[in-house]
């Protein structure tokens, strides 16, 4: 579990302290569900993101 | 009345577009006092469009099944010259200079735009209990939420205020209101329907799609709005097909997967039994029901939340310090997203691809999956939590638990009515298919619809 209040201060987030009370619990729960999934990743696994250059467009001069 | 029925009556000169439009407007004006489904009714524009549609039909110009049909749009679709708020203060004065792709396509197909529909603020939630524009209410019970974020779309179709209402779905926002309001809703494969001119929440989870009164109406809507659009970076060139299932469609021999894990856990017994009944009914129609385990849906949900939190907060970064612009629940989510690390976002996208590949192999065993759309019927307005089989759950997390993962996979999914629960509220079947096989899930839905009366239930007059 992370210390969200310290993290918020370090980020200079400007999030009021009372608002931080409401975000720690759901983030902790999400982190608990998400962290173990990282073990599935192998070095060759690429993210499901795309950056595709249109081959019809000419580059350069 | 469905779109296909209205279209037949229009061509038989039994009714005019003007009559249909006036009827919808009158109902909307009356019902809106209770439902708050419409943000804005465009009466003058609608009547002009209806007159044009009638005139064209009289002159033999026929633009297809949407010609002269009154429809409406969630208030995040760009409508030229008409305020588009996304249910938010951020866009309170935003007037687009052009129409969104789906508005443009349905306009060209002769549809009559009645107006803009209420929604959860910024499409970032499931209740449509909007802090700026008031709660949208469920026509089945006005003390219940219609679901969201396309809550106005669900309420409008269920109450017969529009023949079709366009919605968007980032983590269930078409299918949840379809479930809670007892309508059909379809989220096509990611890339099938252009998102151009739809205010975004997430770059790779947002889907555009309709809420309808019948499965065949959903099919013809997909026919009208699908297809490649170069203005949407994720639009696909996958070939379009005619999605309309034929009369007497058969599902004999089709393999229907019934998940043994996750999808029937923490689900209200009447909903669970109704889905199992639907599977038995499909079996009676000649389909084979295959019990099987599906690859880690809970993991998909966690990935979806990491990705959405990061992307939505990035999208609204310029407003992080304008905290007064947001309602409390949306502000909390935007705050949460600021703590998602870039490395975690990328790891989520890597695991996403791994799970996508695992799900691909599932389709060697079955042709589609049957699951509940939501674990419960529509919760009360204002409730933050609910109890399912003695376990307390968050209203938002409960509503999205069975549907969010499908956005992460980008797969097509259909929500359709499954009759009423003992509390008198609609239950819903979720049919999930392989990528680009919308025609398959629509065929299954149509076969069920043709042989049951689940979709005949109507809410009380409001």
């Amino acid at each position: 579990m992370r210390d969200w209040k310290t993290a918020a201060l370090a980020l200079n987030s400007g999030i009021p302290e009372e608002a931080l009370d409401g975000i720690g619990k759901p983030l902790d729960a999400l982190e608990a569900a998400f962290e173990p999934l990282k073990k599935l990743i192998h070095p060759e696994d690429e993210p499901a993101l795309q950056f595709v250059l249109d081959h019809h467009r000419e580059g350069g001069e | 009345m469905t779109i296909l029925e209205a279209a037949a009556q229009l061509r038989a000169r039994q009714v005019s577009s003007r009559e249909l439009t006036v009827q919808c407007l009158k109902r909307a004006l009356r019902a809106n006092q209770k439902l708050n489904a419409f943000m804005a009714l465009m009466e003058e524009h609608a009547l002009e469009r209806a007159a044009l549609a009638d005139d064209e039909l009289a002159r033999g110009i026929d633009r297809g099944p949407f010609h002269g049909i009154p429809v409406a749009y969630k208030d995040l679709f760009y409508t030229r010259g008409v305020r588009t708020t996304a249910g938010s203060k951020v866009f309170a004065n935003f007037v687009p200079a052009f129409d969104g792709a789906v508005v443009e396509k349905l306009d060209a197909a002769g549809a009559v735009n009645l107006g803009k529909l209420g929604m959860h603020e910024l499409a970032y939630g499931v209740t449509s209990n909007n802090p700026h524009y008031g709660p949208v209410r469920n026509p089945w019970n006005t003390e219940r939420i219609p679901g969201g974020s396309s809550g106005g779309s669900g309420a409008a179709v269920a109450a017969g205020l529009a023949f079709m209402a366009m919605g968007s779905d980032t983590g269930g926002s078409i299918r949840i209101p379809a479930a809670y309001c007892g309508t059909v809703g379809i989220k096509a494969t990611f890339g099938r329907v252009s998102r151009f001119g739809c205010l975004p929440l997430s770059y790779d989870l947002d889907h555009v799609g309709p809420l309808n009164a019948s499965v065949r109406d959903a099919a013809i809507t997909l026919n009208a709005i699908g297809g490649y659009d170069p203005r949407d970076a994720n639009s696909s060139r996958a070939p379009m097909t005619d999605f309309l299932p034929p009369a007497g469609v058969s599902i004999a021999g089709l393999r229907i997967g019934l998940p043994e894990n996750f999808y029937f856990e923490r689900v209200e017994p009447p909903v669970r039994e109704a889905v199992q009944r639907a599977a038995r009914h499909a079996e009676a129609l000649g389909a084979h029901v295959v019990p099987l385990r599906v690859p880690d849906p809970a993991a998909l949900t966690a990935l979806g939340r990491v990705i959405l939190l990061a992307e939505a907060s990035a999208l609204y970064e310029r407003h992080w310090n304008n905290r007064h612009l947001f309602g409390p629940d949306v502000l909390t989510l935007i705050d949460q997203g600021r703590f998602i690390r870039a490395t975690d976002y990328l790891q989520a996208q890597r695991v996403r691809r791994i799970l996508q590949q695992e799900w691909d192999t599932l389709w060697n065993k079955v042709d589609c999956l049957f699951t509940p759309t939501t674990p419960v019927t529509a919760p009360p307005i204002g409730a933050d939590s609910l109890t399912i089989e003695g376990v307390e759950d968050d209203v938002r997390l409960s509503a999205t638990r069975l549907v969010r993962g499908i956005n992460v996979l980008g797969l097509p999914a259909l929500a359709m009515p499954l009759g009423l629960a003992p509390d008198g509220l609609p239950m819903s079947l979720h049919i999930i298919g392989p990528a680009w096989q919308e025609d398959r899930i629509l065929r299954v839905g149509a076969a069920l619809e043709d042989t049951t009366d689940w979709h005949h239930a109507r809410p009380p007059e409001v």
Side-chain angles (χ1 to χ4, degrees):
Chain A
M1 271 194 275
R2 280 196 275 166
D3 181 344
W4 301 104
K5 288 188 181 175
T6 306
L9 277 173
L11 288 170
N12 195 20
S13 70
I15 299 174
E17 194 163 331
E18 63 272 18
L20 288 169
D21 291 335
I23 68 170
K25 202 174 153 189
L27 282 176
D28 284 338
L30 181 57
E31 202 162 74
F34 175 60
E35 281 299 317
L37 301 176
K38 293 180 183 173
K39 291 181 188 142
L40 298 172
I41 303 173
H42 296 286
E44 67 275 17
D45 290 323
E46 298 234 355
L49 297 168
Q50 271 192 318
F51 174 63
V52 181
L53 294 178
D54 186 345
H55 70 280
H56 296 300
R57 260 177 77 182
E58 289 180 18
E61 291 298 314
Chain B
M1 199 190 314
T2 66
I3 295 171
L4 285 169
E5 288 164 351
Q9 289 191 15
L10 276 167
R11 277 148 193 83
R13 304 289 187 268
Q14 290 166 341
V15 72
S16 67
S17 174
R18 182 184 163 78
E19 285 166 331
L20 292 175
T21 303
V22 167
Q23 194 179 43
C24 283
L25 287 170
K26 275 186 180 170
R27 288 173 70 90
L29 279 167
R30 190 176 65 238
N32 218 39
Q33 293 169 24
K34 286 186 181 169
L35 301 180
N36 194 28
F38 274 91
M39 291 279 295
L41 270 169
M42 296 157 53
E43 293 162 82
E44 202 176 322
H45 168 85
L47 290 170
E48 277 173 22
R49 288 286 305 177
L52 179 65
D54 285 333
D55 180 55
E56 285 186 341
L57 279 176
R59 288 190 289 122
I61 301 167
D62 189 336
R63 296 173 183 266
F66 274 93
H67 195 133
I69 300 293
V71 303
Y73 297 89
K74 185 176 182 179
D75 200 29
L76 50 52
F77 290 103
Y78 284 34
T79 37
R80 185 164 52 90
V82 178
R83 187 173 79 133
T84 298
T85 68
S88 164
K89 269 191 182 175
V90 173
F91 298 105
N93 301 307
F94 174 53
V95 180
F98 54 89
D99 285 330
V102 289
V103 179
E104 200 179 75
K105 284 193 170 188
L106 285 172
D107 205 45
V112 174
N113 182 1
L114 295 168
K116 308 298 288 291
L117 296 161
M119 55 184 285
H120 200 102
E121 180 183 9
L122 293 173
Y124 209 177
V126 302
T127 67
S128 302
N129 190 4
N130 192 299
H132 313 299
Y133 305 101
V136 182
R137 295 174 182 275
N138 191 317
W140 289 90
N141 178 339
T142 54
E143 296 306 312
R144 301 291 178 126
I145 61 168
S149 60
S150 311
S153 305
V157 171
L161 315 184
F163 283 79
M164 184 285 306
M166 195 60 69
S168 67
D169 189 320
T170 306
S173 286
I174 291 169
R175 293 159 291 156
I176 295 164
Y180 287 168
C181 292
T183 77
V184 171
I186 187 164
K187 178 195 90 57
T189 310
F190 185 69
R192 174 72 87 187
V193 180
S194 173
R195 300 163 306 143
F196 176 74
C198 173
L199 282 164
L201 181 63
S202 156
Y203 303 107
D204 52 0
L205 298 170
D206 287 353
H207 297 64
V208 169
L211 288 91
N212 301 90
S214 78
V215 171
R216 284 189 174 80
D217 277 4
I220 59 166
T221 310
L222 206 51
N223 280 347
I225 63 173
Y228 176 66
D229 182 353
R231 298 168 300 181
D232 175 350
N234 286 307
S235 183
S236 169
R237 292 180 191 270
M240 286 282 286
T241 181
D242 182 359
F243 295 111
L244 181 63
V249 60
S250 168
I251 55 169
L254 208 76
R255 300 164 302 167
I256 293 170
L258 207 56
E260 293 175 319
N261 58 321
F262 187 79
Y263 283 104
F264 292 90
E265 295 160 13
R266 276 160 57 211
V267 171
E268 282 281 338
V271 177
R272 188 192 307 139
E273 286 154 18
V275 175
Q276 286 160 347
R277 201 161 47 241
R280 285 197 298 276
H281 184 78
E283 210 161 32
L285 296 176
H288 304 296
V289 174
V290 182
L292 81 174
R293 293 187 71 78
V294 294
D296 209 346
L300 286 172
T301 303
L303 299 182
R305 289 180 60 210
V306 170
I307 293 166
L308 176 57
L309 283 170
E311 291 186 358
S313 293
L315 200 58
Y316 291 103
E317 180 173 0
R318 63 185 289 200
H319 297 296
W320 280 357
N321 294 320
N322 301 326
R323 300 179 69 83
H324 65 284
L325 291 178
F326 302 103
D329 62 331
V330 168
L331 187 58
T332 298
L333 291 169
I334 288 173
D335 284 345
Q336 285 178 29
R338 296 170 63 179
F339 291 91
I340 302 292
R341 292 176 289 216
T343 47
D344 282 348
Y345 173 78
L346 282 166
Q347 303 297 45
Q349 293 284 12
R350 292 174 81 192
V351 181
R352 180 187 198 178
R353 197 182 283 286
I354 294 167
L355 286 177
Q356 187 186 29
Q357 286 159 358
E358 287 183 22
W359 272 70
D360 278 349
T361 64
L362 185 76
W363 308 118
N364 297 328
K365 299 174 198 155
V366 294
D367 298 306
C368 66
L369 291 176
F370 275 18
T371 79
T373 307
T374 55
V376 295
T377 56
I381 292 173
D384 293 324
S385 64
L386 47 84
T387 304
I388 306 173
E389 294 191 308
V391 180
E392 191 169 311
D393 208 349
D394 174 274
V395 164
R396 184 176 68 93
L397 297 181
S398 154
T400 55
R401 186 157 54 84
L402 308 180
V403 287
R404 186 189 295 283
I406 304 308
N407 294 67
V408 176
L409 296 167
L411 298 177
L414 176 77
M416 64 177 287
L418 202 46
L420 302 181
D423 62 6
L425 295 171
M427 302 179 287
S428 177
L429 173 66
H430 193 213
I431 308 176
I432 306 160
W436 314 114
Q437 302 297 317
E438 293 89 351
D439 57 334
R440 185 184 298 168
I441 59 175
L442 286 161
R443 278 205 317 273
V444 177
L448 296 176
E449 204 173 71
D450 287 349
T451 52
T452 64
D453 60 0
W454 299 330
H455 63 297
H456 291 162
R458 292 280 175 270
E461 196 69 28
V462 282

